[in-house]
Amino acid sequence: MSSPLVTLAPEIVCHIIKELPIEDGRIFLESCKNVYNNGIYAFDEKCFRAIPVRLTKQGLDLAKQLLKEHSIHYLQEIFIRLRDGLVVFGSEEMDIQNALISVLTQGLQVSTQPLTISIWDHPERFNDPSGGCMKIVAQAISTILSVEPTKPFKVQIQNLRLGNCRWLFLCGRPFLDRVQSLELRFDHYTSGSRALKGIKKVLPLASNLEELSLSNNTEAYLSSETFQQIISKSIPKKLKRVIITGVSISATELREALSPFHDYLRELKLENVVFQDESFDEFIDYVVNHLAVTLDSYSVKDIYEDRGEDVHKILDPMKECREMGVSIWGFDIMKGLDGRKSDSKAKKLLLKGKGS
């Protein structure tokens, strides 16, 4: 007597596969040949929208195997983790780079979806102090771009230490044109003004940059001078999302830095920010009167005011925003322990006139 699963319509099998946890979905697929044939593409779509790539021989071989053995037509992201302690030279470096080129080329060929190449370093542990990982990844992508034609793709870089920006700059405009999202992380490895020179050269060449995040992982706040050197008028004016963490700055300086992006800015998040000269109210007034036209998402958290003799924490900064005319229905925040962004859609921000 045949299993009742054999009679299930393909549409029902696909729906079940998409609703089940991955391990349960795999067990369901293996229940009978008919279910497997009807559900394997739905399973691939669910499991292989993103593939992780580690910069080791084993990691790259595994990525190649995944791309070869599965119908990854729905692939949307190749997620490259920078390798802890990678120090390679000569033939070993070239072998890893060539293997990565093969993986990226194969991913671009098999996917029918818009593809993102994400480059990720750990938010707390510095995996790439020598810059060897970033050099290999940047040169691999540049090699792909030197071969015409190539399928369009975008690049996201998460937790980039400033010292590694030199590899991005050396790869030039063809590579930087693909960078859509960039998260800069400041920590005790950051070497001050010398490191800033690299990012000041990189940002003007990133003509399609839409998201910029400054994450401070040190005990000291970034100075307003450092902030202004990074977010300057030389940055392309397409920024849609700005996230600022761990900065000490006045409302006037922050307004001047953000003003070039008024026409495009959709999301703004401030966290652990010290407003100099008790100027938080001034910043709220700026949001109400100048960003209302474009902002969809707005968040302030752990906000302080420098009052000269002491630094005062604003107990409920969102409440102060509402009292001055910013009414929040909801907003997105970057989520996830591994630094990856939430896929949820931004809810709307309603900005009312001051005093309404």
Side-chain angles (χ1 to χ4, degrees):
M1 184 175 180
S2 63
S3 168
L5 294 177
V6 175
T7 62
L8 288 176
E11 294 80 7
I12 295 177
V13 172
C14 290
H15 178 75
I16 294 173
I17 288 291
K18 291 179 180 180
E19 293 297 320
L20 288 174
I22 290 176
E23 287 304 317
D24 293 341
R26 185 176 286 111
I27 294 172
F28 180 55
L29 275 181
E30 295 172 352
S31 60
C32 72
K33 184 177 180 180
N34 190 65
V35 168
Y36 182 89
N37 290 337
N38 288 335
I40 186 60
Y41 286 102
F43 186 76
D44 284 347
E45 179 183 0
K46 180 176 182 177
C47 294
F48 299 113
R49 292 185 181 181
I51 63 169
V53 178
R54 294 187 179 274
L55 293 182
T56 64
K57 183 180 184 304
Q58 295 78 10
L60 290 162
D61 287 344
L62 177 60
K64 289 180 185 179
Q65 184 178 353
L66 285 173
L67 289 166
K68 181 179 179 181
E69 295 182 356
H70 296 273
S71 300
I72 312 184
H73 300 297
Y74 300 98
L75 182 65
Q76 297 177 21
E77 181 179 18
I78 298 177
F79 186 70
I80 303 172
R81 291 179 181 268
L82 300 189
R83 173 179 163 187
D84 186 13
L86 175 65
V87 181
V88 294
F89 301 96
S91 61
E92 185 180 0
E93 178 181 339
M94 189 57 63
D95 288 344
I96 293 178
Q97 182 175 313
N98 288 337
L100 180 59
I101 290 171
S102 177
V103 167
L104 297 178
T105 301
Q106 196 172 351
L108 286 166
Q109 290 174 346
V110 300
S111 176
T112 60
Q113 306 296 312
L115 193 64
T116 297
I117 298 174
S118 295
I119 307 166
W120 184 89
D121 196 4
H122 197 281
E124 297 177 359
R125 183 178 67 249
F126 194 8
N127 282 347
D128 192 25
S130 69
C133 289
M134 184 57 69
K135 176 184 177 183
I136 287 173
V137 174
Q139 289 182 339
I141 295 175
S142 294
T143 299
I144 292 172
L145 290 172
S146 68
V147 179
E148 295 293 343
T150 185
K151 180 180 177 180
F153 62 89
K154 62 184 179 182
V155 175
Q156 296 182 340
I157 305 175
Q158 298 167 319
N159 299 310
L160 175 71
R161 271 63 175 189
L162 297 192
N164 290 341
C165 289
R166 66 186 185 277
W167 300 117
L168 307 186
F169 177 70
L170 290 176
C171 289
R173 189 179 294 276
F175 171 80
L176 290 171
D177 275 345
R178 304 295 177 123
V179 178
Q180 180 260 343
S181 176
L182 179 60
E183 179 183 7
L184 300 174
R185 183 163 295 274
F186 297 80
D187 53 25
H188 61 279
Y189 293 99
T190 301
S191 56
S193 60
R194 181 180 178 185
L196 285 174
K197 291 180 181 179
I199 192 61
K200 287 166 66 177
K201 293 179 180 178
V202 163
L203 288 175
L205 299 179
S207 59
N208 292 302
L209 187 68
E210 295 182 0
E211 301 179 10
L212 180 62
S213 175
L214 276 63
S215 298
N216 186 1
N217 202 32
T218 70
E219 294 181 359
Y221 285 89
L222 294 180
S223 67
S224 57
E225 292 80 9
T226 297
F227 178 82
Q228 289 175 308
Q229 286 186 66
I230 296 172
I231 301 189
S232 65
K233 293 182 179 180
S234 62
I235 296 180
K237 304 303 184 290
K238 296 181 181 180
L239 279 186
K240 294 181 180 179
R241 182 176 189 176
V242 175
I243 299 174
I244 302 166
T245 305
V247 174
S248 177
I249 195 168
S250 72
T252 299
E253 291 166 332
L254 187 53
R255 182 185 69 241
E256 290 176 352
L258 295 176
S259 61
F261 315 113
H262 281 179
D263 291 341
Y264 291 92
L265 196 62
R266 299 293 182 269
E267 299 181 45
L268 177 62
K269 176 183 175 182
L270 307 182
E271 184 171 344
N272 193 21
V273 172
V274 176
F275 279 89
Q276 301 167 5
D277 306 321
E278 303 182 57
S279 58
F280 182 53
D281 284 355
E282 180 184 340
F283 177 73
I284 299 174
D285 186 71
Y286 159 68
V287 172
V288 171
N289 291 294
H290 296 279
L291 298 181
V293 176
T294 60
L295 273 185
D296 294 324
S297 178
Y298 172 71
S299 169
V300 287
K301 179 181 178 182
D302 294 335
I303 302 299
Y304 302 84
E305 282 188 332
D306 187 345
R307 299 184 174 180
E309 296 181 356
D310 66 339
V311 175
H312 172 74
K313 183 174 183 177
I314 307 297
L315 295 180
D316 190 345
M318 292 305 297
K319 180 180 179 181
E320 290 206 14
C321 290
R322 288 191 293 269
E323 288 176 349
M324 290 190 64
V326 183
S327 179
I328 304 298
W329 290 355
F331 49 86
D332 280 344
I333 294 178
M334 293 182 71
K335 297 180 180 179
L337 296 178
D338 62 354
R340 307 187 71 183
K341 293 190 289 295
S342 166
D343 288 330
S344 59
K345 293 183 178 180
K347 297 184 177 70
K348 291 294 181 180
L349 164 71
L350 177 63
L351 294 168
K352 299 179 180 179
K354 190 174 180 181
S356 60

